[in-house]
Amino acid sequence: GQSELPSPVVRDDEVTIAARRRRKKVAFPSPGSPVVSTATPARSLLRTPASLYRQAVTPRVPDVSSILATGGRTPRYTHTPRNALSSLNLDDSDWTNTMYTSPVSGLENTSFFTDDITNLSSALLKEDDPGEAAAASLFPEFLGSFLKHSSSAVFELLEEYQALCQDKVDVLQSVVLRAGQNSKTAGVRWLLQQENCSWRLITSLYRDRVQLALEDDIMTDMVVPSESEKVVVEQLFQRDAAIRQSQLVVDWLESIAKDQIGDFSDNIEYYAKNVCWENTLHALKLRRQSGAAFTVPLVTELDPDAPLRQQRPLADLDREDDARLLKNLFTLIRAGMTEEAQRLCKRCGQAWRAATLEGWKLYHDPNMTSGSKELQPVEGNPQRGIWKACCWRMADEEQLNRYERAIYAGLSGNLKPLLAVCESWEDCVWAHFRVMVDSLVEKDLMSSGMAHQEVETLPREYLEANWTMEKVFEELQASESKRVLEETREHYHVIQKFVILGDLDGLLEEFSGWLTASKPLPSHLLRFMTHLLLFFRSLGLALKEEACVDVLKAYISLLIRDQQTDLVASYVSQLPAELATAQYAAFLETVNQPELRPRCLQLATDAGLDVAAVTKLVVETVREKDETEFTHHNQTLESGTTKEDLRKIDVIDWLLFDPAHRAESLKQSNAIMRKFLALQKHDAAKAVFSKVPEDSMREIYCQWAGIGQTTPLPAEDENAIREHLCIRAYLEAHEAFTDWFSHSSSAPQKPAPAPDAKFTERVANEMREKEYQASLSAWSCRLDALTEDVKERIYNVLLFVDGGWMIDNRQDSEPDSERSHQMAALRSLCLPRLSFLLLSVLQNSSRHQEALRLADIISSDQHRLYQV
């Protein structure tokens, strides 16, 4: 008996008729009409384990009968013995089992949009831009998926991308139904549909390409002579990657069309009819009974060729039914649903037409090679050449309906009639690739000596056509259809073109052009471009580094603009190390909320960024933005703190979150304070000083000892600690002088005695005089104490230990000319000023002897302060 094992590429099971009846009906679209998919979940084109890296590589033995069917699947990694392959069974009972899964299978007891989606769409409609609001979660979701999957599970990742896009399309569809097809939401939905389709194409093609690269090392192509067309073409698909991938493109385009059709089987009126051309039949019966002549000429016979042979029409209603049927048949074939098209023909009483859709099958007699005593059924069409030549001539017959011509043009590889009904870019690409696969198969059969004589009678342009993928897209560029030309330039179609061609350099050039264009790219397109490049990187493909960096930088800028703070670090980490540091530092400059700063640094650490280098660069960038020169100041009064100064004070916080960065925080705070002191912004310098934790110096020494170092602290760190102490001494001296000056200016006022005062007034005057003397005594004591304090603190600066104020102890550090210049300038700015301040304090206190001592100290050779 005939074994009914499934072919390696049998499509997913179709749901039962009973299940379909319980679901809502969907109107049948015309081909090329902008119909929106309402259901199909993201689906892999190949039945392949998700991670190809975890599967053993096995030889490919595809079932090419299914490959060459309109809508067959390229069998890449499933293998079935050739003698177990079954031929197509057109019996009514089994037609549903060779179909795709319905886009809404599994939803028998619910409407397509659940209550949750309906409630969500109601909430979204209240937003200013509901489409963007609904799709905004894709940004963190894509990153979550990217981080979750290891580099060996790249195809699982792509399938998750598809699922994420499809989920959002489903939500947006319910919003569009309520907001209208011309709403902004419809535009976002279209973007995500295109992205979903693109991920599906990339998954399919690159599974094949990566598998091919793995197999090339362990397989050699062997062509075994065979008498079977089917075996010859199987071998062709096994060894020729170009034809295999061309078929994958056909499969992909058919899967998109199938998504758009939806579940229509209960909605076609022909299903109730079992008689072909019943109106014409009725008219002929009436004529036979009455014997009257027709008022309108009709065919007199009802065989399939009668209208063309007799040059007479069918009844008007039959002509309308036929035209509608043929259009729907073409839509089914365009969606790769040949079996459904045959089923429809049979239900409409046109079993002969169903049979004409069957003749493409390659001939194969398993009894020739099986060696079994039991006869097995023969597969395919032994007269395929005659069938194909007839199909070609039917496609060229101008009197036939244009959809009927297109149906047979698709089966015979006749491009011109097929293009006549193709309206969209996808339709035209499908037509070209379908014809290209057909042409390459026939050429291979001819070269193997198995061509049918009738096929060789087809026009030379078909037999001699040298189709390539590049030539297909060149033809599309020259299309006469305005719509096709416009769609050719759409971003997603350009990406799909370069993915099909495998031309990554060309793709990156396009990306660069888009980024430099004046019109900003849609945010979802930029996200797609970024994740596409990351996918190519994960496969180890060679990419132009500059273009990749530009795309990543553009996407990072978008995330920063949209305040997607948590996502930035992971994408920055994909940049080259030096550039990543600069990019993340630029981002941190924009983070002004103190509560977000620790989070940003933690994310940078998790992403593997050099946090120490990043925070150092942030501080340096902010402190170097000031254009003021480091020169002698002319003003004698304290300068106020500006908004820019506050930014410099604030930026030090970036170095204080991690104790390991204390040494750097000391160096950077010193640099900021040097500038403030030069400009006499003492309050600003004090604010910076107060930011640095008191235990910083102890922490630096503890960290050095903690890593097991017995040698002295590095010279840079030791000098930074000394400079910090120098600045502290100066700020303390300045504060002491400020206190002294404030106190000396607030001496108590002596009460004026009233002349000719009475007794009571004299007593009151005496009381005031006593209070004055007490206040004066307290003030003088306080002034003496403050004078001693300011003298001591200024001497701490003038006579700073171990070499002098703002002079490094260790000279073995790396030279820093800018720092050295600033420290020398501060000595010449601050030491003379402090000397004059101390002199004025001593003179005002009538401490002339100590003033002379100050002069001696300044002129002494021990301290050489006179050289400053």
Side-chain angles (χ1 to χ4, degrees):
Q2 177 178 349
S3 66
E4 285 295 324
L5 291 176
S7 157
V9 289
V10 165
R11 298 170 187 268
D12 305 336
D13 291 339
E14 179 68 8
V15 292
T16 63
I17 296 175
R20 286 203 309 276
R21 284 175 182 157
R22 286 198 291 269
R23 282 189 239 108
K24 73 173 187 177
K25 299 175 182 178
V26 180
F28 197 109
S30 61
S33 61
V35 182
V36 176
S37 164
T38 59
T40 302
R43 176 182 62 243
S44 168
L45 290 180
L46 298 172
R47 315 305 300 164
T48 312
S51 172
L52 72 88
Y53 294 106
R54 292 204 284 263
Q55 70 182 60
V57 178
T58 51
R60 302 184 293 270
V61 186
D63 174 8
V64 186
S65 289
S66 294
I67 292 173
L68 290 182
T70 313
R73 281 294 172 270
T74 303
R76 194 65 179 92
Y77 313 116
T78 47
H79 310 289
T80 305
R82 291 173 188 155
N83 57 3
L85 301 176
S86 63
S87 60
L88 180 70
N89 181 6
L90 274 180
D91 180 61
D92 284 359
S93 62
D94 195 45
W95 71 273
T96 56
N97 293 327
T98 56
M99 302 296 295
Y100 270 157
T101 304
S102 164
V104 288
S105 61
L107 300 177
E108 290 89 343
N109 299 319
T110 61
S111 63
F112 172 66
F113 296 114
T114 64
D115 292 340
D116 288 342
I117 290 182
T118 305
N119 294 338
L120 177 60
S121 67
S122 300
L124 289 171
L125 284 170
K126 297 173 185 176
E127 300 278 350
D128 292 336
D129 190 344
E132 283 297 341
S137 64
L138 277 176
F139 295 93
E141 286 170 355
F142 261 61
L143 177 60
S145 297
F146 176 73
L147 297 177
K148 185 172 70 178
H149 289 82
S150 66
S151 59
S152 63
V154 285
F155 293 108
E156 286 179 13
L157 174 62
L158 296 195
E159 286 168 359
E160 193 158 326
Y161 286 164
Q162 291 177 52
L164 289 172
C165 290
Q166 187 61 46
D167 288 344
K168 289 296 177 289
V169 169
D170 293 344
V171 172
L172 292 175
Q173 174 66 9
S174 65
V175 178
V176 169
L177 290 174
R178 305 172 77 173
Q181 291 288 344
N182 295 322
S183 61
K184 281 185 180 178
T185 306
V188 177
R189 181 200 57 187
W190 182 87
L191 284 173
L192 297 185
Q193 280 178 319
Q194 288 294 325
E195 181 179 346
N196 187 14
C197 293
S198 301
W199 284 127
R200 205 186 300 177
L201 171 68
I202 293 158
T203 305
S204 175
L205 285 178
Y206 277 91
R207 264 204 176 114
D208 186 87
R209 288 168 183 171
V210 173
Q211 181 77 357
L212 180 67
L214 291 176
E215 292 181 6
D216 278 347
D217 296 333
I218 60 173
M219 278 186 65
T220 55
D221 294 326
M222 292 187 296
V223 179
V224 180
S226 174
E227 294 298 319
S228 165
E229 287 183 331
K230 181 177 174 182
V231 173
V232 168
V233 178
E234 281 177 351
Q235 291 174 355
L236 168 66
F237 272 75
Q238 185 173 331
R239 69 177 184 271
D240 191 328
I243 192 171
R244 197 169 56 245
Q245 289 169 21
S246 298
Q247 181 62 41
L248 285 175
V249 173
V250 173
D251 296 343
W252 166 67
L253 291 163
E254 290 174 352
S255 74
I256 296 173
K258 186 175 191 306
D259 289 352
Q260 293 174 343
I261 286 177
D263 182 26
F264 56 86
S265 54
D266 287 339
N267 205 41
I268 298 179
E269 60 264 42
Y270 317 106
Y271 276 34
K273 291 170 51 178
N274 289 315
V275 179
C276 175
W277 301 337
E278 61 182 359
N279 296 291
T280 308
L281 177 62
H282 181 65
L284 291 177
K285 284 182 176 179
L286 284 179
R287 179 187 178 190
R288 178 178 296 173
Q289 290 169 6
S290 65
F294 284 133
T295 54
V296 178
L298 287 180
V299 292
T300 58
E301 298 168 354
L302 285 182
D303 62 277
D305 294 325
L308 194 61
R309 185 178 66 252
Q310 295 186 338
Q311 294 294 303
R312 286 169 173 256
L314 300 170
D316 289 346
L317 290 175
D318 288 341
R319 281 211 309 276
E320 290 174 16
D321 281 352
D322 245 18
R324 201 157 47 246
L325 171 65
L326 290 166
K327 188 172 184 179
N328 289 342
L329 286 177
F330 176 76
T331 304
L332 286 169
I333 289 172
R334 166 68 183 86
M337 302 168 71
T338 309
E339 295 89 346
E340 175 81 356
Q342 290 176 305
R343 173 67 178 168
L344 180 56
C345 291
K346 293 164 72 176
R347 289 289 296 269
C348 296
Q350 296 193 16
W352 59 269
R353 193 183 296 280
T356 65
L357 303 180
E358 177 80 352
W360 55 268
K361 292 197 170 181
L362 297 168
Y363 180 68
H364 175 61
D365 185 353
N367 300 299
M368 301 289 288
T369 54
S370 69
S372 171
K373 293 181 180 179
E374 186 177 340
L375 285 178
Q376 298 179 39
V378 174
E379 302 174 24
N381 180 5
Q383 306 300 329
R384 196 177 59 83
I386 297 174
W387 168 86
K388 186 160 192 169
C390 289
C391 286
W392 186 284
R393 286 199 291 273
M394 285 182 72
D396 280 344
E397 180 52 68
E398 295 183 359
Q399 294 184 49
L400 294 179
N401 176 287
R402 67 192 192 113
Y403 286 103
E404 184 170 16
R405 294 175 63 194
I407 290 169
Y408 294 107
L411 292 170
S412 61
N414 193 344
L415 183 60
K416 190 175 177 181
L418 192 55
L419 287 177
V421 296
C422 292
E423 299 176 9
S424 68
W425 181 86
E426 286 88 351
D427 291 342
C428 291
V429 176
W430 172 81
H432 280 91
F433 272 81
R434 174 120 192 88
V435 168
M436 175 164 69
V437 171
D438 188 275
S439 171
L440 293 174
V441 165
E442 290 297 348
K443 276 191 172 182
D444 190 69
L445 288 172
M446 290 171 73
S447 64
S448 63
M450 301 190 65
H452 294 263
Q453 185 178 356
E454 293 79 12
V455 171
E456 295 176 2
T457 64
L458 294 179
R460 288 182 60 185
E461 61 265 22
Y462 171 77
L463 297 174
E464 296 177 5
N466 291 312
W467 282 108
T468 61
M469 293 183 181
E470 291 78 8
K471 189 175 178 183
V472 167
F473 289 107
E474 287 172 10
E475 291 284 327
L476 288 176
Q477 295 278 12
S479 172
E480 295 178 2
S481 165
K482 185 178 179 183
R483 175 181 169 182
V484 172
L485 287 176
E486 287 176 356
E487 292 184 357
T488 299
R489 293 189 288 270
E490 284 173 356
H491 292 116
Y492 285 98
H493 290 156
V494 172
I495 294 172
Q496 289 159 5
K497 177 183 86 170
F498 283 111
V499 166
I500 291 169
L501 295 175
D503 180 6
L504 300 189
D505 288 345
L507 180 62
L508 288 172
E509 282 179 21
E510 285 288 340
F511 283 0
S512 299
W514 295 346
L515 292 174
T516 54
S518 55
K519 187 177 180 182
L521 293 175
S523 55
H524 290 291
L525 174 61
L526 201 49
R527 172 182 49 74
F528 171 60
M529 290 161 57
T530 302
H531 284 268
L532 179 58
L533 293 184
L534 293 177
F535 164 70
F536 288 148
R537 270 190 183 179
S538 68
L539 292 183
L541 301 175
L543 299 171
K544 290 181 179 176
E545 185 67 22
E546 187 179 348
C548 290
V549 165
D550 288 344
V551 172
L552 279 166
K553 284 169 67 177
Y555 188 53
I556 291 164
S557 299
L558 171 74
L559 295 175
I560 294 172
R561 187 198 74 194
D562 292 347
Q563 298 183 339
Q564 300 264 21
T565 309
D566 288 358
L567 312 185
V568 174
S570 296
Y571 291 103
V572 169
S573 68
Q574 300 296 323
L575 293 168
E578 191 172 329
L579 185 58
T581 300
Q583 282 285 304
Y584 206 68
F587 160 62
L588 293 185
E589 280 185 55
T590 67
V591 180
N592 297 318
Q593 302 96 314
E595 65 276 8
L596 285 180
R597 290 178 169 182
R599 171 77 176 150
C600 291
L601 292 181
Q602 184 58 49
L603 289 166
T605 303
D606 296 344
L609 295 173
D610 185 349
V611 176
V614 168
T615 49
K616 177 182 177 182
L617 185 58
V618 176
V619 178
E620 287 180 345
T621 305
V622 171
R623 73 177 174 82
E624 289 170 3
K625 280 184 177 176
D626 191 1
E627 298 297 325
T628 313
E629 290 187 19
F630 200 98
T631 55
H632 199 289
H633 46 75
N634 298 320
Q635 67 267 30
T636 56
L637 299 175
E638 173 80 14
S639 298
T641 304
T642 64
K643 192 174 181 180
E644 193 61 37
D645 294 338
L646 291 174
R647 281 199 71 201
K648 293 178 184 177
I649 296 167
D650 190 46
V651 80
I652 283 295
D653 287 342
W654 286 114
L655 293 167
L656 302 178
F657 294 112
D658 188 348
H661 300 160
R662 286 294 171 80
E664 189 60 40
S665 70
L666 216 57
K667 294 170 191 172
Q668 296 296 339
S669 61
N670 288 347
I672 293 172
M673 288 189 286
R674 285 198 300 269
K675 195 68 171 281
F676 284 155
L677 292 181
L679 298 172
Q680 285 196 191
K681 296 187 175 186
H682 296 102
D683 287 343
K686 288 174 189 173
V688 176
F689 188 88
S690 66
K691 287 267 188 186
V692 181
E694 291 181 5
D695 66 343
S696 291
M697 288 175 279
R698 181 172 57 82
E699 186 71 39
I700 292 169
Y701 279 107
C702 287
Q703 286 177 17
W704 185 250
I707 59 175
Q709 295 291 344
T710 55
T711 55
L713 207 62
E716 290 83 1
D717 293 355
E718 200 167 302
N719 288 338
I721 291 173
R722 178 180 170 83
E723 183 186 349
H724 185 74
L725 295 173
C726 287
I727 292 172
R728 183 173 76 176
Y730 179 82
L731 291 175
E732 287 173 350
H734 185 271
E735 191 169 359
F737 174 79
T738 304
D739 291 344
W740 175 87
F741 184 78
S742 174
H743 188 72
S744 67
S745 305
S746 59
Q749 298 296 318
K750 184 174 182 177
D756 303 325
K758 296 179 182 179
F759 176 75
T760 55
E761 290 175 349
R762 285 202 303 271
V763 172
N765 278 339
E766 288 174 5
M767 292 294 291
R768 284 197 292 271
E769 184 66 27
K770 283 182 181 179
E771 288 176 3
Y772 164 71
Q773 290 299 333
S775 297
L776 182 63
S777 176
W779 176 84
S780 297
C781 287
R782 171 72 177 150
L783 184 64
D784 286 343
L786 289 174
T787 302
E788 283 297 319
D789 187 49
V790 74
K791 183 182 76 170
E792 180 185 351
R793 292 187 183 281
I794 289 179
Y795 273 133
N796 282 347
V797 176
L798 296 177
L799 308 177
F800 201 85
V801 296
D802 294 338
W805 187 75
M806 282 293 184
I807 292 179
D808 288 337
N809 259 5
R810 300 267 300 271
Q811 302 301 323
D812 54 336
S813 63
E814 290 188 18
D816 185 343
S817 58
E818 184 183 8
R819 177 174 175 272
S820 301
H821 165 71
Q822 290 182 356
M823 290 174 71
L826 278 181
R827 279 177 62 79
S828 63
L829 291 172
C830 297
L831 294 184
R833 176 173 172 74
L834 282 182
S835 300
F836 284 120
L837 290 178
L838 179 56
L839 182 62
S840 67
V841 169
L842 296 174
Q843 287 176 342
N844 284 334
S845 307
S846 300
R847 300 189 181 194
H848 303 298
Q849 195 68 35
E850 292 189 21
L852 288 173
R853 179 170 170 264
L854 172 62
D856 290 341
I857 289 173
I858 290 173
S859 60
S860 73
D861 286 337
Q862 180 184 355
H863 302 292
R864 298 178 185 276
L865 291 175
Y866 60 85
Q867 293 179 346
V868 174

